[in-house]
DNA sequence: TCTGCGGTCAACCTTTCGGTTGATCGGCAG
DNA sequence: CTGCCGATCAACCGAAAGGTTGACCGCAGA
């Protein structure tokens, strides 16, 4: 019998998870929490095997932090992250925080149940998430360097090349140089298009 | 008895909606659909009073279009939009498409039920959504016009002024004119900064 | 009726951005 | 050791974007 804790700020999602997961004979939902803070506390009571953790509570990304704190508990439950978006940065952060799996909310119930059961050893990624990570690691030519991503992030905040240069202690020439590479890798020809493309490819939020 | 159609691409959300709504004695869920297209077809069968319509199917915003097409049916059901974000552009688009209400997924079940029942006359907005709209309408100097929002949306997609002009059948002069007003209202001085500011204020996605 | 405002467009000018070439430097793999 | 690559910067040019002024239309409200 696998004892589950649901951590999500949406009542509808909690009800849906409970409904689909309790169809599995070996699953039992022992608690629901609507905040990351409450989920950490509840997970510490020791009667939970797996926490299903949303990443976004309200408009904050508290799920990563909560995952980290749950994994720091003595004899901690496993944490399976269950979120809407397969943002590359979020996946890496979740794994770094000690998550045992990364599922997407649009998954079929059967797939979810399988991932929750399987997550004893290695990290379990939703097929779509894993596929994207693998595909990108096979295409180093289109992968942005850390520096390029950093510049692009500042562009997405609306900064000018000159302002980015000041922030990063670079000349405008260097900023432009990075951006030209970014444009080429993303197949676009303007900063706004680069931001749109990067967001679509879930390189930035 | 109010007959409901659930249109959402997430199995978990559909199960959750069914679970919380069927607690109401006068509600009955007659169908669930996972695509906007299927929802339009199903709504045409004439045995549905209210469609609960998500805006995002996969990564597309098909919900607006589906709402419009459902409202164009003979003797159409009411459509209540049920989505995760209170993006101002989405709210206006939904109302423009003929939605009878705009609810947020993090709403309490009771509030949802009330809004679904009430939506016979005027449009019903979730309290948080309505509050934001009212607050903004009290500040007419910072409110973007529909046309300005439209242009800004194209900017966020990465289009150039010339491309926006072609798309909207305008001259670049007009596009620039709209953008200058947008910059002034948002307090920024570049298109990328305008996109960033508008996203932060939830004017666009 | 007149006024104001949103929407449309034109002409003009300045600044920024995009694109190219070329160069230096440091680290790392072969 | 040598070559490659990422990061850094400079100078230059054309194109796009930003900013201003001014104009016209239509419509809703004073």
């Amino acid at each position: 019998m696998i004892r589950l804790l649901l951590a999500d700020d949406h009542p509808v999602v909690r009800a849906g998870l409970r409904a689909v997961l309790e169809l599995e004979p070996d699953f039992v939902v022992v608690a629901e929490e609507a905040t990351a803070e409450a989920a950490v506390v509840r997970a510490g009571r020791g009667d939970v095997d797996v926490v299903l953790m949303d990443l976004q509570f309200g408009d904050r990304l508290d799920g990563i932090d909560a995952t980290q704190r749950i994994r720091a508990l003595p004899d901690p439950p496993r944490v399976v992250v269950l979120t809407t978006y397969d943002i590359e940065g979020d996946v890496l952060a979740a794994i770094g925080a000690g998550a045992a799996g990364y599922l997407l909310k649009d998954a079929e119930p059967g797939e979810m149940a399988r991932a929750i059961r399987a997550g004893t050893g290695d990290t379990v990624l939703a097929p779509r998430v894993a596929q994207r990570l693998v595909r990108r690691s096979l295409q180093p030519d289109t992968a942005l360097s850390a520096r390029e991503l950093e510049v692009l992030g500042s562009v997405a905040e609306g900064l000018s090349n000159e302002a980015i240069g000041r922030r990063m202690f670079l000349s405008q020439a260097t900023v432009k140089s990075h951006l030209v590479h970014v444009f080429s890798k993303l197949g676009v020809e303007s900063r706004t298009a680069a931001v749109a493309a990067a967001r679509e490819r879930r390189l930035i939020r």
Side-chain angles (χ1 to χ4, degrees), chain A:
Chain A
M1 188 63 80
I2 301 183
R3 296 164 296 175
L4 302 172
L5 166 59
L6 309 182
D8 196 301
D9 57 333
H10 293 182
V12 168
V13 173
R14 292 197 305 270
L17 286 173
R18 183 184 280 272
V20 303
L21 293 176
E22 290 201 327
L23 293 178
E24 306 290 324
D26 55 335
F27 284 2
V28 55
V29 176
V30 297
E32 298 181 8
E33 297 296 346
T35 68
E37 184 59 43
V40 174
V41 172
R42 186 61 183 79
R45 271 179 45 184
D47 59 347
V48 171
D49 298 308
V50 176
V51 180
L52 279 184
M53 174 69 69
D54 190 17
L55 286 189
Q56 288 170 275
F57 287 84
D59 46 3
R60 267 225 286 304
L61 283 181
D62 291 339
I64 298 283
D65 180 56
T67 299
Q68 212 155 17
R69 282 158 62 202
I70 288 174
R71 294 301 298 174
L73 293 171
D75 188 24
R78 297 202 314 276
V79 177
V80 173
V81 166
L82 178 74
T83 185
T84 308
Y85 304 106
D86 58 336
I87 307 278
E88 186 164 331
D90 288 352
V91 178
L92 299 178
I95 294 174
Y102 194 97
L103 294 178
L104 299 178
K105 281 185 184 171
D106 60 357
E108 291 301 322
E111 186 190 316
M112 271 186 202
R114 211 174 322 123
I116 291 170
R117 271 197 210 92
T120 48
D122 294 332
T123 306
V124 177
L125 299 183
R128 183 146 45 91
V129 176
Q131 183 187 343
R132 268 195 342 105
L133 286 181
V134 168
R135 179 157 19 99
R136 194 179 318 286
S137 71
L138 292 178
Q139 307 278 355
D141 49 325
T142 67
L144 300 187
S145 72
R147 208 61 170 150
E148 287 162 353
L149 253 186
E150 213 177 332
V151 171
L152 185 55
S154 288
V155 171
E157 291 180 46
L159 300 187
S160 69
N161 291 345
E162 194 232 342
I164 296 171
R166 274 202 306 275
R167 172 192 280 194
M168 294 176 65
F169 304 105
L170 300 175
S171 76
Q172 300 97 312
T174 305
V175 175
K176 286 171 64 172
S177 173
H178 285 308
L179 278 181
V180 167
H181 296 148
V182 169
F183 296 164
S184 145
K185 287 178 178 177
L186 295 181
V188 298
E189 17 191 50
S190 78
R191 56 209 290 111
T192 46
V195 170
R199 210 180 295 273
E200 188 161 2
R201 298 181 199 186
R202 311 204 179 286
L203 301 177
I204 61 176
R205 183 171 285 277

mmCIF file of all heavy atoms in Angstrom, chain A residues 81-100:
data_model
loop_
_atom_site.group_PDB
_atom_site.id
_atom_site.type_symbol
_atom_site.label_atom_id
_atom_site.label_comp_id
_atom_site.label_asym_id
_atom_site.label_seq_id
_atom_site.Cartn_x
_atom_site.Cartn_y
_atom_site.Cartn_z
ATOM 1 N N VAL A 81 7.373 15.310 -8.617
ATOM 2 C CA VAL A 81 6.910 16.626 -9.042
ATOM 3 C C VAL A 81 5.864 16.455 -10.138
ATOM 4 O O VAL A 81 6.056 15.665 -11.074
ATOM 5 C CB VAL A 81 8.086 17.486 -9.535
ATOM 6 C CG1 VAL A 81 7.591 18.709 -10.281
ATOM 7 C CG2 VAL A 81 8.960 17.883 -8.351
ATOM 8 N N LEU A 82 4.785 17.181 -10.000
ATOM 9 C CA LEU A 82 3.663 17.056 -10.926
ATOM 10 C C LEU A 82 3.279 18.456 -11.337
ATOM 11 O O LEU A 82 2.691 19.198 -10.550
ATOM 12 C CB LEU A 82 2.490 16.380 -10.209
ATOM 13 C CG LEU A 82 1.230 16.217 -11.029
ATOM 14 C CD1 LEU A 82 1.405 15.113 -12.042
ATOM 15 C CD2 LEU A 82 0.053 15.919 -10.113
ATOM 16 N N THR A 83 3.604 18.836 -12.569
ATOM 17 C CA THR A 83 3.414 20.228 -12.930
ATOM 18 C C THR A 83 2.855 20.339 -14.335
ATOM 19 O O THR A 83 2.703 19.338 -15.048
ATOM 20 C CB THR A 83 4.748 21.002 -12.807
ATOM 21 O OG1 THR A 83 4.524 22.373 -13.045
ATOM 22 C CG2 THR A 83 5.742 20.480 -13.818
ATOM 23 N N THR A 84 2.544 21.546 -14.731
ATOM 24 C CA THR A 84 1.880 21.754 -16.016
ATOM 25 C C THR A 84 2.870 21.867 -17.158
ATOM 26 O O THR A 84 2.593 21.443 -18.269
ATOM 27 C CB THR A 84 1.022 23.032 -15.952
ATOM 28 O OG1 THR A 84 0.174 22.949 -14.815
ATOM 29 C CG2 THR A 84 0.186 23.171 -17.204
ATOM 30 N N TYR A 85 4.053 22.436 -16.868
ATOM 31 C CA TYR A 85 4.959 22.760 -17.962
ATOM 32 C C TYR A 85 6.267 21.985 -17.859
ATOM 33 O O TYR A 85 6.784 21.787 -16.772
ATOM 34 C CB TYR A 85 5.277 24.257 -17.956
ATOM 35 C CG TYR A 85 4.038 25.101 -18.015
ATOM 36 C CD1 TYR A 85 3.580 25.773 -16.895
ATOM 37 C CD2 TYR A 85 3.322 25.183 -19.189
ATOM 38 C CE1 TYR A 85 2.438 26.543 -16.947
ATOM 39 C CE2 TYR A 85 2.179 25.946 -19.257
ATOM 40 C CZ TYR A 85 1.748 26.629 -18.137
ATOM 41 O OH TYR A 85 0.607 27.387 -18.194
ATOM 42 N N ASP A 86 6.801 21.592 -18.999
ATOM 43 C CA ASP A 86 8.103 20.944 -18.985
ATOM 44 C C ASP A 86 9.191 21.957 -19.328
ATOM 45 O O ASP A 86 9.920 21.814 -20.293
ATOM 46 C CB ASP A 86 8.133 19.735 -19.924
ATOM 47 C CG ASP A 86 7.797 20.116 -21.353
ATOM 48 O OD1 ASP A 86 7.135 21.137 -21.542
ATOM 49 O OD2 ASP A 86 8.222 19.403 -22.262
ATOM 50 N N ILE A 87 9.259 23.010 -18.510
ATOM 51 C CA ILE A 87 10.335 23.995 -18.639
ATOM 52 C C ILE A 87 11.651 23.308 -18.285
ATOM 53 O O ILE A 87 11.763 22.683 -17.240
ATOM 54 C CB ILE A 87 10.113 25.165 -17.678
ATOM 55 C CG1 ILE A 87 8.731 25.748 -17.839
ATOM 56 C CG2 ILE A 87 11.207 26.216 -17.840
ATOM 57 C CD1 ILE A 87 8.570 26.704 -18.940
ATOM 58 N N GLU A 88 12.612 23.428 -19.191
ATOM 59 C CA GLU A 88 13.871 22.730 -18.976
ATOM 60 C C GLU A 88 14.516 23.119 -17.652
ATOM 61 O O GLU A 88 15.000 22.262 -16.909
ATOM 62 C CB GLU A 88 14.826 23.050 -20.134
ATOM 63 C CG GLU A 88 16.096 22.265 -20.089
ATOM 64 C CD GLU A 88 16.816 22.329 -21.431
ATOM 65 O OE1 GLU A 88 16.136 22.467 -22.452
ATOM 66 O OE2 GLU A 88 18.046 22.241 -21.429
ATOM 67 N N GLY A 89 14.485 24.392 -17.331
ATOM 68 C CA GLY A 89 15.065 24.845 -16.078
ATOM 69 C C GLY A 89 14.370 24.230 -14.871
ATOM 70 O O GLY A 89 15.016 23.869 -13.887
ATOM 71 N N ASP A 90 13.047 24.095 -14.938
ATOM 72 C CA ASP A 90 12.295 23.515 -13.830
ATOM 73 C C ASP A 90 12.649 22.050 -13.626
ATOM 74 O O ASP A 90 12.773 21.567 -12.502
ATOM 75 C CB ASP A 90 10.786 23.640 -14.088
ATOM 76 C CG ASP A 90 10.312 25.076 -13.939
ATOM 77 O OD1 ASP A 90 11.113 25.919 -13.495
ATOM 78 O OD2 ASP A 90 9.150 25.348 -14.268
ATOM 79 N N VAL A 91 12.798 21.324 -14.733
ATOM 80 C CA VAL A 91 13.122 19.901 -14.630
ATOM 81 C C VAL A 91 14.448 19.719 -13.913
ATOM 82 O O VAL A 91 14.567 18.938 -12.962
ATOM 83 C CB VAL A 91 13.205 19.261 -16.037
ATOM 84 C CG1 VAL A 91 13.578 17.791 -15.930
ATOM 85 C CG2 VAL A 91 11.896 19.416 -16.769
ATOM 86 N N LEU A 92 15.440 20.495 -14.355
ATOM 87 C CA LEU A 92 16.765 20.366 -13.755
ATOM 88 C C LEU A 92 16.733 20.781 -12.281
ATOM 89 O O LEU A 92 17.368 20.137 -11.439
ATOM 90 C CB LEU A 92 17.765 21.220 -14.540
ATOM 91 C CG LEU A 92 17.912 20.809 -16.013
ATOM 92 C CD1 LEU A 92 18.881 21.727 -16.732
ATOM 93 C CD2 LEU A 92 18.362 19.356 -16.122
ATOM 94 N N ALA A 93 15.982 21.820 -11.976
ATOM 95 C CA ALA A 93 15.888 22.272 -10.588
ATOM 96 C C ALA A 93 15.223 21.212 -9.714
ATOM 97 O O ALA A 93 15.651 20.962 -8.591
ATOM 98 C CB ALA A 93 15.112 23.584 -10.512
ATOM 99 N N ALA A 94 14.172 20.587 -10.231
ATOM 100 C CA ALA A 94 13.456 19.568 -9.454
ATOM 101 C C ALA A 94 14.367 18.382 -9.165
ATOM 102 O O ALA A 94 14.418 17.874 -8.037
ATOM 103 C CB ALA A 94 12.209 19.112 -10.212
ATOM 104 N N ILE A 95 15.084 17.954 -10.179
ATOM 105 C CA ILE A 95 15.994 16.831 -9.983
ATOM 106 C C ILE A 95 17.080 17.212 -8.983
ATOM 107 O O ILE A 95 17.425 16.448 -8.090
ATOM 108 C CB ILE A 95 16.611 16.413 -11.334
ATOM 109 C CG1 ILE A 95 15.510 15.849 -12.242
ATOM 110 C CG2 ILE A 95 17.715 15.383 -11.124
ATOM 111 C CD1 ILE A 95 15.989 15.550 -13.650
ATOM 112 N N GLY A 96 17.574 18.437 -9.118
ATOM 113 C CA GLY A 96 18.582 18.915 -8.182
ATOM 114 C C GLY A 96 18.073 18.960 -6.756
ATOM 115 O O GLY A 96 18.837 18.769 -5.808
ATOM 116 N N ALA A 97 16.776 19.217 -6.600
ATOM 117 C CA ALA A 97 16.197 19.309 -5.259
ATOM 118 C C ALA A 97 15.891 17.926 -4.683
ATOM 119 O O ALA A 97 15.432 17.821 -3.555
ATOM 120 C CB ALA A 97 14.926 20.151 -5.292
ATOM 121 N N GLY A 98 16.122 16.882 -5.463
ATOM 122 C CA GLY A 98 15.938 15.535 -4.943
ATOM 123 C C GLY A 98 14.630 14.868 -5.333
ATOM 124 O O GLY A 98 14.229 13.875 -4.720
ATOM 125 N N ALA A 99 13.959 15.402 -6.346
ATOM 126 C CA ALA A 99 12.702 14.785 -6.778
ATOM 127 C C ALA A 99 12.968 13.410 -7.395
ATOM 128 O O ALA A 99 13.984 13.213 -8.059
ATOM 129 C CB ALA A 99 12.000 15.677 -7.792
ATOM 130 N N ALA A 100 12.056 12.484 -7.137
ATOM 131 C CA ALA A 100 12.196 11.124 -7.671
ATOM 132 C C ALA A 100 11.553 11.005 -9.039
ATOM 133 O O ALA A 100 11.720 9.999 -9.721
ATOM 134 C CB ALA A 100 11.573 10.110 -6.712
#
